[in-house]
Amino acid sequence: MTSTAPARLDTDWPPPPFRAPLPAVTGADGVRRFHGLSYATSPGYRPRLLDVHVPPGRRPVPAVVWIHGGGWLEGDRRYPPPTVPVELLHGTVLGAGLALVTVDYRHSLEAPFPAQLHDVKAAVRYVRRYAGVLGVDPERIGAWGESAGGHLAALAGLVHADVHGSGLEGREGVPDGDSGVRAVVDWYGVSDIEPLLGRPLPALPGPPDAPPYPHPFEALLGGPAAERRDRARAASPVTYAADAAPPPFLLVHGREDQVVPYSQSEALARALTAAGGEVTLRPVEGADHIFLGSSEVPAVVAESVGFLRRRLTA
């Protein structure tokens, strides 16, 4: 396959907007791993990176794009939440015959919304551009995220350039191509920001003299939430649920979530159902945010991967 990306030269100037994949490293388990691929670069920001893990085999496989949480303020593509061992997440996805793509995106103090959505969409376009090199099927890509990543996964499934214009699509990285996904798993993501703007956040542990933690919504919206209600609506998945035929959704949420109320997933489920979409809302009884307090995490991971496998291999 002939690369259409800019030449990979250290002397390139200005820096290219993305870099073609370096060769995979194949482990003893037969899994091919592409580490630290630069899917988008722009002046003033760190390169946005993704990793791709592809199960053994010669035929292209469906791919799952994993989007980490962290209140849009922190987080890392390499680490799931502490309640989900990385071996469990990676092993379950790869064991189902799916490729796993883990992505970083700009945090909200680097750039406010919609930069995070622009990056996720750029990552999907990049995977499609290099599907032949990566060994994935470009027509079978799903999105899965937790917390802030669940919110971004939902937006990736609902926001379409041909319906909503280029403002939410962005032109980071690979500038053209399809950024849509065929299925979405959203773990306890925010779906409607406006009702949460005046809600106090739970107390965070830390030393008493520590500087105040940035307010996630104010950081995401680029200013005091009360002054950014239009942007709050633009950043809410429920805003787009009825605009185009939504892909199948699985929403998983702890009933006792003290950070993102369970009612947020209920609201998205209602909006998707009203739009004629296929949606499953799966409560996790007794679970707080990131499924704290629950023994169901392995079952929830298995259900989420099973949902994606069925929708991406149908």
Side-chain angles (χ1 to χ4, degrees):
M1 176 179 177
T2 301
S3 172
T4 58
R8 192 181 179 87
L9 298 174
D10 291 338
T11 56
D12 281 351
W13 193 262
F18 57 94
R19 298 280 191 178
L22 290 171
V25 174
T26 302
D29 54 4
V31 174
R32 290 180 295 124
R33 296 177 171 89
F34 300 82
H35 289 292
L37 304 184
S38 295
Y39 73 84
T41 64
S42 49
Y45 298 101
R46 60 194 165 100
R48 269 81 81 204
L49 306 180
L50 59 78
D51 299 337
V52 184
H53 309 261
V54 186
R58 296 184 178 180
R59 301 179 63 181
V61 298
V64 176
V65 175
W66 167 263
I67 311 168
H68 69 76
W72 309 284
L73 286 161
E74 53 188 333
D76 186 312
R77 71 187 187 281
R78 297 168 295 177
Y79 308 115
T83 48
V84 183
V86 66
E87 298 83 4
L88 175 65
L89 177 70
H90 288 216
T92 307
V93 173
L94 294 168
L98 307 174
L100 179 65
V101 180
T102 61
V103 303
D104 284 335
Y105 52 88
R106 282 171 290 178
H107 294 153
S108 55
L109 291 182
E110 295 179 89
F113 184 85
Q116 297 71 32
L117 179 58
H118 288 175
D119 288 350
V120 169
K121 285 181 162 288
V124 175
R125 292 194 300 268
Y126 182 92
V127 171
R128 282 208 165 91
R129 168 69 67 92
Y130 291 109
V133 175
L134 301 173
V136 304
D137 184 341
E139 301 303 320
R140 298 175 185 270
I141 298 176
W144 178 9
E146 62 94 15
S147 197
H151 160 261
L152 295 172
L155 286 172
L158 295 172
V159 172
H160 305 282
D162 58 346
V163 177
H164 305 108
S166 61
L168 293 172
E169 183 71 21
R171 292 182 61 82
E172 302 289 332
V174 176
D176 302 306
D178 181 14
S179 66
V181 296
R182 286 185 51 170
V184 174
V185 175
D186 173 358
W187 281 3
Y188 44 84
V190 169
S191 70
D192 189 2
I193 294 176
E194 274 198 278
L196 301 179
L197 293 183
R199 187 174 185 266
L201 297 177
L204 297 173
D209 57 346
Y213 193 79
H215 193 288
F217 292 134
E218 290 190 2
L220 180 70
L221 302 177
E227 301 173 10
R228 299 289 189 277
R229 292 192 178 275
D230 288 344
R231 185 170 285 184
R233 285 189 288 273
S236 295
V238 294
T239 301
Y240 309 101
D243 291 349
F249 267 71
L250 172 63
L251 309 174
V252 189
H253 210 129
R255 288 274 196 188
E256 307 304 321
D257 196 322
Q258 300 301 301
V259 177
V260 178
Y262 179 76
S263 58
Q264 286 284 304
S265 284
E266 290 181 309
L268 184 54
R270 286 194 299 270
L272 292 168
T273 299
E278 175 193 341
V279 56
T280 300
L281 175 57
R282 200 289 201 189
V284 182
E285 301 297 338
D288 199 340
H289 203 59
I290 69 170
F291 305 137
L292 281 170
S294 174
S295 61
E296 293 190 62
V297 170
V300 168
V301 171
E303 289 173 31
S304 300
V305 173
F307 171 87
L308 289 163
R309 186 178 186 280
R310 289 191 300 274
R311 297 310 183 277
L312 297 179
T313 61

